[in-house]
Amino acid sequence: MVPILIGRIQTRLFLLALVGSLVTLVLIPLLPVPGSLSERYRVAFVVLAAVAVLGIAWEALYHLLMQFRWEKDWPSLFGLLTGVPEGVLLWLLLRAGAVPLIDTVPPGWAFATHFAVVWVVVWLVANGPMRVPFLRWRFRGGRLV
């Protein structure tokens, strides 16, 4: 079964909250960015929250675009590649000062590294290990609740 809109949103939020947070906890201390570790974590988790909030709007847009496809779904690789426009938009919003709670914009390479690593790991978990603990996830349209 093709994941329905609410199922994709639930899955995205769940994976960003669980997997994205764990990846962020491990990755941020490894990035040589100026500032205290607590400030770097604060900025990284605000960026992660912004990805989650923007993701709801993106999912609605993807849902609209999928209505023009015969099978009403993207190939799995498209799910990975959708990170590119999402990352670019978030970066532009950060640079424009449109993301609340962020005073200093992280360096571009640090943002790109954090965003890309979280995106790829979340995508990999959604397309593999996610199906083990949630056996009926696919048959419930991607809904977790």
Side-chain angles (χ1 to χ4, degrees), residues 69 73-83 119 123:
R69 292 185 49 84
D73 196 11
W74 298 114
S76 185
L77 183 60
F78 281 20
L80 179 63
L81 297 177
T82 58
W119 190 267
W123 181 81

Side-chain angles (χ1 to χ4, degrees), residues 8-144:
R8 286 194 316 272
I9 291 172
Q10 286 179 11
T11 300
R12 175 187 283 250
L13 295 178
F14 172 75
L15 288 175
L16 282 174
L18 182 66
V19 177
S21 294
L22 292 174
V23 170
T24 298
L25 282 172
V26 171
L27 182 64
I28 293 305
L30 303 176
L31 295 177
V33 177
S36 68
L37 185 59
S38 63
E39 177 63 18
R40 294 182 347 204
Y41 271 131
R42 188 184 69 73
V43 169
F45 279 103
V46 169
V47 167
L48 195 61
V51 170
V53 170
L54 285 175
I56 295 170
W58 278 110
E59 287 297 345
L61 175 65
Y62 297 150
H63 182 75
L64 175 69
L65 292 174
M66 281 191 281
Q67 300 313 304
F68 298 103
R69 292 185 49 84
W70 176 263
E71 61 277 347
K72 306 282 191 250
D73 196 11
W74 298 114
S76 185
L77 183 60
F78 281 20
L80 179 63
L81 297 177
T82 58
V84 174
E86 290 189 35
V88 169
L89 176 63
L90 184 55
W91 176 247
L92 293 174
L93 290 173
L94 283 169
R95 298 283 302 198
V99 178
L101 303 175
I102 293 190
D103 310 333
T104 58
V105 178
W109 63 268
F111 168 80
T113 302
H114 177 229
F115 185 89
V117 169
V118 168
W119 190 267
V120 168
V121 171
V122 164
W123 181 81
L124 288 171
V125 169
N127 286 289
M130 173 85 176
R131 296 162 194 231
V132 173
F134 301 101
L135 296 173
R136 307 296 293 163
W137 170 75
R138 188 171 63 112
F139 301 109
R140 296 179 60 209
R143 288 178 293 130
L144 296 169

